[in-house]
Amino acid sequence: MGAGLHAELGASRLTSQTRVRHTRRVTELRLDPRDPRGLRADAPMLAAWLDFTRQAKAGHLLPMGVPGHKQRQDLVGAVIAGDAPFYGGLDTIKHADMLRIDSEERAAQLWGADWCRFSVAGSTHGNQALALAVGQPGQEVIVNRTLHRSLLLGLVLAGLRPVWVRPEIDLASGLPAGVAVPAVRDALAAHPAACAVFLGDPTYVGTISDLAGHAEVAHAAGVPLIVDAAWAAHLGFHPDLPPHAIAAGADAMVTSAHKALPAYTQGALVLARTERLNPARLDRAFEATHTTSPTGSIMASIDAARALLAADGEGLCGRLIRAVAAARKRLREVPGLDVLDGPGVEPTKLVVLLAGTGAHGNQVEADIIAAGMYVEMADRDTVVPIPTIADDEEQVARFTEVLIGAVERHRGTPRHPAAAASWTVEPETVLSPREAFFAPAETVPATAATGRVSAELIAPYPPGVPVLAPGELITTDAVKALREVAADGGRIAYAADPSLATFQVIAG
Ligand SMILES: Cc1ncc(COP(=O)(O)O)c(C=O)c1O
């Protein structure tokens, strides 16, 4: 690291005395074209990243640490441009934790939490960290079965035993609503030794549950409510949006800054209140499954996204709400086309329902891709684009017209929507996920798999909700549902044999 960089970064190597000086200094800087909104004044990690990468670009650095590319672009090329290690880049290895704590405290404050960590490994890591932060191996937890596979693997890591609760399915769309509060209350009453409630909210399709009600029943039972809000980093930042999970009373939430916010891919936040969760245990759980070499670019982009929300969250969310409302209205004008809407759906989610047009979602998606756009998910009956606060009304409107054009080209006979297996799966759990994960397994042909216990997790992706999980009985319904997804062009993820000709089962 060159002397120039040391001078530059001196101000961001934060001790309590220098922190104030640093903040004042960066606010005095003139606007950097690489930071058009001047976010660095409130984003210490971003400021450090901007300084480091400027020095790297100017060739002022001679790093004698990792990463091994040493900022040289003559080896593997531009693919490493902008890569700055958090430890030893954004600040020295000895001091970077001060910078981290400063940025994470700002995020905790924005979300009204007591504790916050930035993850470079997505909500996947956040879910697993939170599973490791509660209870002891063998204890029960109340969990919605439409959970993302990352949380299921979190249960494997932590040795927790799931007590499943399920969302209501909306018959008109075949899509899940939120989990009802009485379902959680009943599960807690039937399993008084459960140590936590884990819910995914909003659901993958933007439906929301009564989180305040869930918090109340969880707290009445003396356990924390933990929410996978992977898609909802923007909630709570506009009066027309539902409150975020912490504001609704949850004890912890994980959210992907790279999904709803303009952060680097993989950036996520884990936020918690410490009345029912121990901060030291949270830190242990977080560190147990996080890399020791987080990339500063992802960390700084989370910091920047947080600063953006603080500065202009309401304005940007308002623009997005208007854009999505206009798109929903326009789509509903097309005969047969519908969208998820109403008070149970968060207002920035655009879930397009195709069944009434007879068009097949995969064909519609192919046309959208050919037009240079892509969507988060498409299956026969549903297309899910992800507009975010990075989109303006014109962009969402342009996408909407492309989508309508594709639907018109592929119109067919209207049909009733089918609920996907991911939402309707009703597993019979024979072994806990952890017992099954570590049990001896064998490969059997599909014809011999039904009636055996699955050793593997198999999920159509998206949405990444397991149709089969370790420890669950393999039923003809589950195999049939997975086959239907595959036949319809869906991706069967995480199966040892994605052709579904064979399955991994518990031996014996
Ligand atoms: C509900 C839910 N939770 C967690 C995740 C994992 O998020 P990430 O990709 O940030 O690891 C996803 C991913 O799509 C998800 O849909």
Side-chain angles (χ1 to χ4, degrees):
M1 199 182 291
L5 180 68
H6 274 292
E8 280 288 326
L9 295 187
S12 64
R13 196 172 295 131
L14 297 170
T15 61
S16 49
Q17 291 93 339
T18 57
R19 197 175 295 182
V20 174
R21 185 151 40 88
H22 167 77
T23 307
R24 195 174 305 129
R25 181 179 163 278
V26 292
T27 49
E28 282 161 7
L29 287 176
R30 265 198 264 129
L31 272 193
D32 178 341
R34 296 185 305 147
D35 175 26
R37 290 172 180 251
L39 296 175
R40 65 177 293 155
D42 175 38
M45 278 187 195
L46 173 67
W49 181 87
L50 286 165
D51 292 344
F52 180 90
T53 49
R54 181 155 46 79
Q55 293 287 328
K57 197 162 175 225
H60 292 166
L61 303 181
L62 178 54
M64 280 298 151
V66 293
H69 57 64
K70 307 289 179 100
Q71 306 299 325
R72 288 175 58 159
Q73 291 190 28
D74 60 336
L75 298 168
V76 293
V79 69
I80 58 91
D83 182 36
F86 182 72
Y87 291 100
L90 267 52
D91 207 334
T92 64
I93 292 175
K94 290 194 177 70
H95 290 94
D97 276 331
M98 310 264 303
L99 177 63
R100 178 179 66 68
I101 289 165
D102 187 11
S103 295
E104 290 172 342
E105 276 179 3
R106 291 171 195 240
Q109 197 181 4
L110 185 67
W111 269 273
D114 305 317
W115 178 95
C116 173
R117 295 297 306 267
F118 291 180
S119 173
V120 299
S123 287
T124 296
H125 167 234
N127 274 333
Q128 293 172 358
L130 289 174
L132 285 168
V134 298
Q136 278 83 45
Q139 264 192 299
E140 288 182 325
V141 282
I142 313 298
V143 193
N144 62 314
R145 182 53 179 79
T146 45
L147 79 179
H148 185 255
R149 46 100 49 183
S150 57
L151 180 54
L152 201 131
L153 271 308
L155 302 183
V156 169
L157 293 174
L160 296 169
R161 294 177 176 273
V163 173
W164 300 124
V165 286
R166 300 160 43 74
E168 306 288 316
I169 301 297
D170 170 31
L171 290 179
S173 64
L175 295 172
V179 173
V181 173
V184 170
R185 188 192 297 122
D186 293 350
L188 282 166
H191 298 269
C195 63
V197 175
F198 282 83
L199 295 176
D201 202 90
T203 66
Y204 184 78
V205 292
T207 43
I208 47 178
S209 65
D210 172 9
L211 279 185
H214 285 302
E216 209 177 300
V217 298
H219 296 165
V223 299
L225 170 67
I226 295 175
V227 178
D228 173 358
W231 294 97
H234 62 302
L235 289 196
F237 290 97
H238 187 282
D240 294 343
L241 290 174
H244 56 71
I246 296 286
D251 297 277
M253 68 179 251
V254 55
T255 190
S256 296
H258 72 95
K259 293 193 194 308
L261 302 183
Y264 252 95
T265 300
Q266 294 180 210
L269 297 120
V270 191
L271 295 138
R273 295 192 316 181
T274 51
E275 202 181 324
R276 290 173 196 83
L277 292 167
N278 178 312
R281 170 83 180 264
L282 282 163
D283 272 319
R284 279 208 305 281
F286 183 93
E287 291 294 355
T289 39
H290 202 217
T291 174
T292 47
S293 312
T295 174
S297 8
I298 298 179
M299 299 285 272
S301 75
I302 301 170
D303 193 29
R306 189 271 315 147
L308 179 67
L309 267 188
D312 196 18
E314 187 168 334
L316 291 167
C317 288
R319 179 176 75 174
L320 178 59
I321 292 167
R322 287 193 299 279
V324 170
R328 286 181 181 177
K329 182 167 177 289
R330 174 77 183 99
L331 290 165
R332 284 187 138 159
E333 287 165 6
V334 177
L337 206 51
D338 205 354
V339 292
L340 271 197
D341 208 348
V345 185
E346 74 100 339
T348 70
K349 200 80 184 179
L350 192 54
V351 176
V352 184
L353 309 174
L354 296 174
T357 69
H360 192 300
N362 290 352
Q363 292 173 334
V364 171
E365 180 188 32
D367 280 17
I368 291 171
I369 292 171
M373 302 173 175
Y374 63 94
V375 293
E376 159 68 21
M377 193 206 101
D379 63 14
R380 191 190 70 168
D381 296 331
T382 319
V383 176
V384 184
I386 305 287
T388 73
I389 58 171
D391 292 300
D392 60 27
E393 282 131 310
E394 188 276 325
Q395 279 169 300
V396 177
R398 192 149 48 90
F399 168 80
T400 303
E401 294 309 319
V402 169
L403 172 68
I404 291 170
V407 169
E408 294 300 356
R409 275 191 294 283
H410 297 292
R411 266 190 186 283
T413 309
R415 54 177 185 265
H416 287 295
S422 301
W423 313 130
T424 55
V425 59
E426 280 194 58
E428 191 181 320
T429 303
V430 180
L431 294 174
S432 78
R434 185 181 175 89
E435 286 163 336
F437 188 90
F438 291 108
E442 59 185 337
T443 307
V444 296
T447 45
T450 50
R452 302 288 298 270
V453 178
S454 181
E456 61 185 334
L457 185 153
I458 308 182
Y461 211 114
V465 174
V467 166
L468 267 181
E472 291 178 356
L473 199 67
I474 303 179
T475 60
T476 41
D477 279 356
V479 174
K480 184 165 161 271
L482 286 167
R483 287 240 161 89
E484 280 169 9
V485 173
D488 216 22
R491 171 184 164 217
I492 300 294
Y494 315 115
D497 176 1
S499 78
L500 302 173
T502 61
F503 285 79
Q504 300 290 303
V505 301
I506 304 298

